[in-house]
Every structure is written in C-alpha cells, then in structure tokens.
Amino acid sequence: MRKKWVMVILMLLVISLISAPAFASSKVGTTGAQFLKVGIGGRATAMGGVYTGVADDISALYWNPGGLGGLEQTEVIYTYNKWFQDITHHFVGGAVPTQFGVFGLGITMLGMDDLEKRTGDSITAEGTFKAQDMAVAFAYGTSLTETLMVGGSLKMLSSKIDDESASGLAVDLGALMKTGVQGLNVGFAVTNLGGEYKFIDEGDPLPMMIKLGAGYKVLNDTLTLAADVIYPNDNDLIFGGGVEYALKFGNGGALALRTGYKTGVDSGGLSGLGAGIGISYQMFGFDFAWTPYGDLGDAIRGSLSLKF
C-alpha cells in the first residue's frame, strides 16, 4: 500500500512537470476579482501558500474545503493582512462540527482608501475615492469514509470602485484523502468556479484554480512537508513546497517555524517566498507570516485562532 501511493504521487508530479509547457497561459492579468487570490491565515501563507494537501484547520475554508470534514472541534480565526501598497485585507471565519457534518462561514474584506481621482489627463487630483472587495463563503465538509473527506463552499462576491459596483457568485470544491501511508495526505481542490465578474458592461472570468497537493507529517507530527501543483486559468502552471517544524512543550503548547516557496509570483526580489512563526497553547493560537513582493513591498499577516 505504501509503495502504491508513493508511486501514484510521483507519477502525478512527473506528469505535471512534463505537461507544464502545454499549460502555459497567454491570459495573464485577464481575470477579475483578483482579491480572491489573496491567501488567508498566518500558518498557510508562511508555508508559501502550499496547503492543499495539509488543510487540517479552519483555514481550509480558503485553501481546500475538503479539509473541513476532518475538523473535530469548533474553530474560529481572524487574520489581519497589511498587504503592499497600503492595501488592507481581513478574514474572519468559523467552523462547527455537528452530527450532520462540519458547517463553516468565512468573510473576506479587502480595501484601499484615499485613491486619487482623475477623469482626464490632469496633474491635479479631483479628489479621492475608495476601492473595496468582499466575499462571504458558506461552507460544508464531511467525511465520506475514514480516509476520504470532501467539502465545498458557495461564495457571494461584491466589489466597489468609487460609484461603480460588481457582484457575483463563486464555488469552491475540495477533497482530502489519507493515503494509507502513515502521515501522508493528498488533497485536490477547484476554487473560484463561476461566471463573469462585471463592472458596468465589461466582464472578466473569475480566477479559477485547479490544485493538487500532498502533505506529509513525520517525527511524531512535529515536521510537516507540503507540495502543491496549481493550474490557474490566468497564468502558467505553479509549483510550490513548504515546511513546518513544531517544537512541542508543556501541556498542549507548541512553537512552530515555517517557510515555503511558490512559483508564479513575478514581482522581483524574493517574491514567492513565505516565512513565519506560530505559537499555540491549548485552545489559543497565534501565527505570523512575512511574504515579500519585490518592488511592490512586503505583506505582513497576523492570525488569532481558537479551538474549543
């Protein structure tokens, strides 16, 4: 069984590598609702956003809703992201296990204030305006078997730029499977399925992504290794790897060090890298992540989470 699953994962990775040129996209920058690409949670983003095959906490709401089916406690999270160029990004979410499955709710908000307004070729601004995006996700996950968890979410989207607005719907679907190899999980997700996202009469497709990932926990679950292959509809094939080492202490405490890297972020410098730390004790958790974007600046995330 162990050899079987190792061979399957290796074959999928090899096929992805070989087929990468065929997936190369000429549609970079052609999708709308770009705020849906901004990752949530200090833990996952510190690992480079490589989380499809891990997805074992409340942040599965964003990365792979299939992971919700494995939650055994009520969890809540709040993430504040000081993104580059004075953009602020917030996420608050919760998930509650019941006898009928796990129900989740996530709210994403992104905004910029005091943008200079010009209606013509003028040096002097005519004033300022705001740009805001929001997504509300209603999610559900369940365990179909002892080894297979599935889930999905329906997201209500809205955006506003000055006096113009847009709205729409998107769907995420995911699965997380235990392979039979101790500590090794495989994840699959399709995110941001939906129609065009329109401002006035102009519409763009949503930034859909197909993701395949693996998460491997070893050394009594103190070391987590992760790998993702992602096919977005507006970029080339993306590859990523992440690692987390958690030093456990006391009665339910842990200090975690994390890093990761993902291709497809082409803003120069160390863009694509993620790094951070986390500390948890019993029901409380705090996670910090740093993700650089080259000339654009750095993103700093902090997450607070509770399990009860």
Side-chain angles (χ1 to χ4, degrees):
M1 181 65 72
R2 179 187 297 268
K3 291 182 179 179
K4 172 185 174 182
W5 282 110
V6 170
M7 289 301 298
V8 168
I9 293 169
L10 288 175
M11 287 177 62
L12 288 171
L13 292 176
V14 169
I15 291 171
S16 299
L17 285 168
I18 294 174
S19 62
F23 282 99
S25 174
S26 60
K27 298 183 179 180
V28 175
T30 60
T31 57
Q34 291 290 301
F35 73 99
L36 295 175
K37 292 183 176 181
V38 182
I40 67 101
R43 182 187 181 202
T45 51
M47 295 175 67
V50 183
Y51 214 63
T52 309
V54 180
D56 58 359
D57 58 23
I58 181 61
S59 63
L61 274 167
Y62 175 86
W63 302 99
N64 179 1
L68 291 176
L71 300 188
E72 298 178 350
Q73 296 176 281
T74 295
E75 297 188 28
V76 295
I77 187 173
Y78 169 71
T79 298
Y80 174 76
N81 177 10
K82 182 62 177 178
W83 218 31
F84 54 78
Q85 302 297 312
D86 294 325
I87 301 172
T88 56
H89 177 249
H90 305 263
F91 177 84
V92 60
V96 180
T98 74
Q99 60 178 327
F100 305 106
V102 181
F103 293 88
L105 174 67
I107 302 173
T108 299
M109 294 170 287
L110 181 145
M112 289 186 68
D113 295 333
D114 300 328
L115 297 170
E116 292 187 348
K117 182 177 182 179
R118 294 178 175 84
T119 56
D121 186 8
S122 172
I123 296 177
T124 304
E126 300 171 15
T128 61
F129 67 97
K130 298 180 180 180
Q132 297 176 328
D133 300 293
M134 184 174 182
V136 180
F138 301 93
Y140 174 78
T142 188
S143 296
L144 294 182
T145 69
E146 292 184 356
T147 59
L148 178 61
M149 297 162 286
V150 297
S153 68
L154 174 65
K155 296 187 287 192
M156 303 173 61
L157 314 177
S158 64
S159 296
K160 187 173 183 180
I161 301 177
D162 198 13
D163 296 327
E164 303 297 337
S165 60
S167 62
L169 296 174
V171 173
D172 293 351
L173 300 171
L176 190 65
M177 181 174 61
K178 299 177 182 179
T179 64
V181 177
Q182 181 65 37
L184 180 61
N185 292 343
V186 174
F188 176 79
V190 182
T191 61
N192 304 324
L193 289 166
E196 287 191 336
Y197 200 58
K198 289 186 177 181
F199 275 97
I200 313 177
D201 296 324
E202 296 294 327
D204 295 303
L206 295 176
M208 188 268 294
M209 288 185 279
I210 301 172
K211 305 189 289 185
L212 174 66
Y216 191 26
K217 294 187 177 183
V218 294
L219 302 179
N220 294 321
D221 293 343
T222 60
L223 180 65
T224 300
L225 306 175
D228 272 4
V229 179
I230 303 170
Y231 172 50
N233 64 345
D234 61 356
N235 208 333
D236 296 336
L237 203 63
I238 294 171
F239 301 92
V243 60
E244 173 190 68
Y245 179 73
L247 178 63
K248 299 182 179 181
F249 61 87
N251 182 21
L255 175 65
L257 303 178
R258 307 174 180 119
T259 189
Y261 178 80
K262 186 166 60 179
T263 64
V265 185
D266 302 319
S267 53
L270 298 174
S271 58
L273 179 70
I277 62 173
I279 185 167
S280 60
Y281 184 73
Q282 296 183 356
M283 63 184 295
F284 302 98
F286 172 76
D287 299 295
F288 168 86
W290 167 70
T291 48
Y293 288 89
D295 295 335
L296 295 175
D298 298 340
I300 303 295
R301 288 175 178 84
S303 294
L304 292 173
S305 58
L306 293 174
K307 297 181 181 181
F308 49 90

